[in-house]
Amino acid sequence: MKQSKLLIQTYREAPRDADVISQQLMMRAGMIQKLAAGIYDYLPLALRSIRKFEEIVREELVRDGCQELLMPVVQPRELWDESARWQFYGRELLRLKDRKDADFCLGPTHEEVVTDIVRKIIKSYKQLPINLFQIQTKFRDEIRPRFGLMRGREFIMKDGYSFHVDDADADREYWRMFEAYKRIFARLGVKFRPVEADSGAIGGSFTHEFHVLAGSGEDAILSCNACEYTSNAEKTEAPGLPFGYASEPVLDLKRAHFHTPGIIAMEEQAKAFRDAEHNGLPLDHASKFYLYRATRGDATWDAGLVLRSDHDPNTVKLKNLIGADSIDLVPLEEAEKRAGTKSGFIGPVDMDVSMYVDRSLEGAYNLTCGANQEGYHHFGFKPDRDLKQMKGFHDLRMAREGDVCARCGKGTYEAFRGIEVGQVFKLGTKYSQAMSCVFSDEAGHERPMVMGCYGIGITRTIAAVIEQNYDADGIIWPWPVAPFHVHLVSLDSNKPEIASVANRAESDLEAAGFQVLHDDRDGLSPGVKFKDADLLGMPLRLTVGAKGLKDGIVELRDRRTKEVTKIKPEDVVAAVKAHRERTNHEGTK
RNA sequence: CGGGAUGUAGCGCAGCCUGGUAGCGCACCUGACUGGGGGUCAGGGGGUCGCAGGUUCGAAUCCUGUCAUCCCGACCA
């Protein structure tokens, strides 16, 4: 492909409203343009990457017996009424009317349609299981689209749905898709992690997210360095920790009642404690207390959370533990009123509230806590002894980097940031029941199919690849999704001897199956072409110029390492092949 | 939905406060020079200043409304 004919415009600066690196680079490299908020044109360069990733996805799914189909973007309201999602989906669902005033929506996902397809065709257990997928444009009318392709309103997604006779078979398929996804992202050539998104669930529905690791990722992830356990930091199990001061004699709560006038910060409070043995206390010798208000339906109640003061509360865990729909901190003024003292001195002792204590405090004693008296703290707090409405020790804190893995007990957690690009999810019978997607089992009884669903954000993944692979000069494409493999730059491309060598290299490489973008543009200085090549980020740059040709060589440059190899023009194909063998991430190992 | 900001050529910006011929850089076109990291010179084309209304002899500039975009938050998962 001659660059002089390619639909592309590169920019020295990114548009002002491009706020993440992938969006800036894709716009500067002429891959995408914004048409409206969260809606982008995919220009030829971008589409080449998108198509390549789609093909990887397609191949791996078809290998596992999945069948591709294509469902409509525009969907009738009737289907969405059956699942009740017309009512519950909210304004993210873009609704529209046709000329007859009938209601339609743009599909944000396709559970209804695929369930409708299957219920019309599949009647017997003999036809199950079946796994269907499509690669198609979706529309979600996000309140606030941002981050370019990472959270657009219109995006391309692979969505797959499987149908089964029972839970066990749906589980089997779940893990098969899990493995297929691992192969897909491995072939893509990026660093990624499958992440447990709902760690505690037993049986029933469970789900994994696949994250591309990138410093700019929205989600914090903790991963054990010894076992497979990887989860969203919000959900990561935190280990209990031993009490580090077990050699101290157990003190009575009220014995050491110490003065902390006007000291609010946790660190300062702990430091303020002094007695014969202590000159200030470390944070893990102090406790802190939060008063939460929980709601479920119309019911509202309060719950107390006690933690080591160097730990952060995990409200998701507390919410799940006490079975609330949502929880929030009790407003400070109200908490002060309940405790009868000011913020900074509020403590759990004597408070008439159910108390949930983080398990890192199991066996702990001689802790500090607010004395519910302005200017005072207790030293000698022992939760299981001193809390009247003690509801036990539980995992209620945020796990953090360096904690011992709560699963295997051997490794420790490492922290990553990730971009969620895929999800495997066991749906159960939610849609099949609502929409009567049933089959006859061996006994002739009608049963709802058990469903799974499996998504990969295609365009988001391409953006995530860039978030993970770039430098100050531009994009660094991994081989499998690079728009072209080789960026052939001819300098002084109007000179016949250069053009002939360059054109020869281009056709040789193409004949050998490589995709070449040939910068044959006339009259541009070398610097311009090099800058463009770096920005566009093809894995290899092949430079043909008078300087090298004088010595009978052309130069092959690795975009990632910037390493330059001087080779004879006739060795170009062999050199590119060697490079591909060395760096191509394709393969399922 | 709450708070904040911005709309001037394809992109990045100045001009607005203090009303008077619409500017700069990049990109584009012509020519010459140059030729290994966004090169130089000369010439050129392109803008109803987001839109509507108002004030004024006169509005990019002041006023009102409106639309769009972006940021923070809330919401959602």
Side-chain angles (χ1 to χ4, degrees):
Chain A
M1 172 85 207
K2 297 280 196 284
Q3 194 168 341
S4 58
K5 301 294 179 201
L6 180 68
L7 180 71
I8 186 172
Q9 159 80 351
T10 59
Y11 298 88
R12 201 183 283 244
E13 292 163 295
R16 195 177 37 160
D17 53 11
D19 46 7
V20 291
I21 200 79
S22 58
Q23 185 186 16
Q24 290 166 2
L25 289 175
M26 290 181 93
M27 293 183 97
R28 284 187 55 208
M31 299 182 71
I32 58 171
Q33 287 184 352
K34 189 162 78 173
L35 185 62
I39 301 177
Y40 291 84
D41 302 314
Y42 307 118
L43 301 174
L45 221 45
L47 191 61
R48 292 180 69 96
S49 287
I50 289 168
R51 291 288 186 247
K52 285 187 176 187
F53 183 47
E54 288 176 355
E55 202 45 43
I56 291 172
V57 171
R58 191 172 275 125
E59 283 175 18
E60 293 303 327
L61 293 180
V62 168
R63 171 187 299 193
D64 268 351
C66 304
Q67 298 179 57
E68 185 171 6
L69 45 62
L70 189 60
M71 294 180 266
V73 191
V74 175
Q75 306 178 11
R77 171 179 178 161
E78 288 69 27
L79 233 36
W80 284 72
D81 275 335
E82 286 192 55
S83 67
R85 287 210 294 181
W86 186 266
Q87 183 187 349
F88 290 114
Y89 208 96
R91 310 237 325 258
E92 253 185 37
L93 185 66
L94 184 65
R95 296 152 213 254
L96 31 101
K97 287 180 185 294
D98 71 2
R99 66 204 299 160
K100 291 183 293 191
D101 218 32
D103 288 315
F104 289 85
C105 63
L106 293 187
T109 172
H110 282 70
E111 281 87 357
E112 284 81 0
V113 178
V114 76
T115 303
D116 179 64
I117 290 170
V118 168
R119 72 179 170 184
K120 283 173 174 162
I121 298 174
I122 298 206
K123 306 290 179 199
S124 157
Y125 72 95
K126 293 175 193 165
Q127 296 164 287
L128 293 173
I130 192 160
N131 190 327
L132 306 168
F133 76 98
Q134 66 172 345
I135 296 174
Q136 202 239 30
T137 295
K138 299 271 190 275
F139 195 93
R140 291 183 191 167
D141 199 0
E142 293 274 349
I143 294 171
R144 191 177 153 206
R146 56 185 146 174
F147 305 149
L149 295 194
M150 296 224 289
R151 189 179 296 188
R153 290 195 291 175
E154 186 181 293
F155 55 95
I156 299 172
M157 183 169 161
K158 187 289 293 186
D159 50 325
Y161 308 88
S162 67
F163 297 81
H164 308 272
V165 294
D166 57 23
D167 264 345
D169 196 57
D171 289 354
R172 178 200 52 74
E173 187 72 5
Y174 178 95
W175 291 110
R176 216 161 65 112
M177 288 296 105
F178 182 86
E179 292 301 323
Y181 275 33
K182 290 212 296 205
R183 294 199 303 271
I184 287 167
F185 291 109
R187 277 186 63 180
L188 180 60
V190 295
K191 300 184 202 77
F192 73 98
R193 289 281 190 289
V195 173
E196 283 187 24
D198 189 12
S199 53
I202 309 150
S205 66
F206 45 92
T207 172
H208 280 83
E209 294 169 351
F210 282 74
H211 286 252
V212 169
L213 302 183
S216 58
E218 278 192 274
D219 297 308
I221 294 166
L222 291 173
S223 182
C224 175
N225 58 15
C227 75
E228 293 280 293
Y229 183 46
T230 301
S231 59
N232 203 305
E234 284 181 0
K235 291 162 184 162
T236 303
E237 287 177 44
L241 298 173
F243 180 57
Y245 308 92
S247 58
E248 296 181 0
V250 180
L251 298 180
D252 180 67
L253 173 68
K254 306 280 163 111
R255 206 183 91 186
H257 188 68
F258 70 105
H259 200 42
T260 48
I263 301 174
I264 305 299
M266 208 64 75
E267 290 82 0
E268 301 304 315
Q269 288 170 0
K271 272 191 214 150
F273 178 76
R274 289 189 177 76
D275 66 5
E277 287 85 37
H278 302 87
N279 182 18
L281 293 171
L283 275 178
D284 60 359
H285 211 318
S287 78
K288 61 181 172 185
F289 168 65
Y290 293 90
L291 186 59
Y292 287 99
R293 180 146 302 154
T295 60
R296 181 177 53 215
D298 296 332
T300 299
W301 71 101
D302 291 349
L305 173 59
V306 178
L307 295 165
R308 223 169 76 173
S309 61
D310 58 332
H311 288 157
D312 294 317
N314 185 318
T315 53
V316 174
K317 290 176 180 173
L318 180 61
K319 193 174 85 171
N320 291 341
L321 178 68
I322 65 180
D325 291 335
S326 71
I327 64 174
D328 280 300
L329 277 169
V330 168
L332 190 59
E333 309 80 64
E334 196 185 327
E336 289 179 335
K337 213 167 160 187
R338 288 272 289 274
T341 186
K342 289 217 173 108
S343 169
F345 310 101
I346 301 174
V349 179
D350 298 328
M351 200 163 275
D352 190 22
V353 168
S354 294
M355 290 292 173
Y356 301 87
V357 183
D358 182 68
R359 64 188 186 188
S360 287
L361 290 178
E362 193 157 9
Y365 57 90
N366 292 359
L367 298 164
T368 70
C369 67
N372 290 333
Q373 182 184 346
E374 192 170 345
Y376 286 93
H377 277 70
H378 295 309
F379 176 68
F381 174 45
K382 187 170 186 297
D384 46 347
R385 179 191 68 193
D386 299 330
L387 296 175
K388 271 184 280 186
Q389 294 202 48
M390 172 68 177
K391 300 295 180 190
F393 296 99
H394 309 272
D395 174 18
L396 291 168
R397 69 177 175 100
M398 296 290 293
R400 59 190 178 193
E401 183 160 33
D403 276 340
V404 172
C405 175
R407 285 282 172 86
C408 73
K410 294 191 194 101
T412 54
Y413 292 138
E414 286 180 65
F416 299 95
R417 296 205 73 82
I419 300 165
E420 185 194 338
V421 292
Q423 186 172 31
V424 290
F425 187 73
K426 196 174 140 197
L427 269 181
T429 55
K430 177 180 171 184
Y431 293 93
S432 52
Q433 270 182 335
M435 298 178 64
S436 336
C437 180
V438 297
F439 67 100
S440 300
D441 65 15
E442 288 177 85
H445 297 307
E446 226 172 46
R447 279 162 44 190
M449 299 180 201
V450 180
M451 294 171 60
C453 76
Y454 319 95
I456 293 177
I458 300 285
T459 41
R460 175 184 262 205
T461 299
I462 294 299
V465 166
I466 294 172
E467 293 289 331
Q468 188 185 87
N469 297 280
Y470 70 93
D471 65 13
D473 296 314
I475 301 168
I476 304 174
W477 285 111
W479 188 281
V481 283
F484 292 89
H485 302 125
V486 179
H487 202 156
L488 170 54
V489 174
S490 45
L491 308 177
D492 294 309
S493 47
N494 52 339
K495 292 197 177 135
E497 65 273 24
I498 293 190
S500 97
V501 173
N503 285 329
R504 179 65 189 275
E506 181 185 356
S507 56
D508 285 352
L509 283 168
E510 284 179 346
F514 296 106
Q515 294 158 6
V516 181
L517 179 62
H518 181 178
D519 189 350
D520 61 332
R521 292 175 299 172
D522 196 13
L524 293 179
S525 72
V528 174
K529 294 192 170 191
F530 291 151
K531 288 286 183 191
D532 268 355
D534 285 346
L535 177 61
L536 267 47
M538 307 315 159
L540 286 172
R541 185 182 83 197
L542 181 64
T543 308
V544 180
K547 208 160 124 183
L549 239 39
K550 204 170 54 189
D551 304 324
I553 57 115
V554 295
E555 291 157 39
L556 202 58
R557 183 179 189 261
D558 184 303
R559 173 65 183 84
R560 194 179 293 273
T561 65
K562 300 184 163 69
E563 184 190 348
V564 175
T565 320
K566 299 187 181 205
I567 52 174
K568 294 192 201 120
E570 57 267 33
D571 295 335
V572 161
V573 170
V576 171
K577 266 186 189 155
H579 182 277
R580 181 186 58 187
E581 298 313 316
R582 227 174 33 247
T583 62
N584 190 358
H585 301 265
E586 278 200 10
T588 57
K589 50 199 168 296

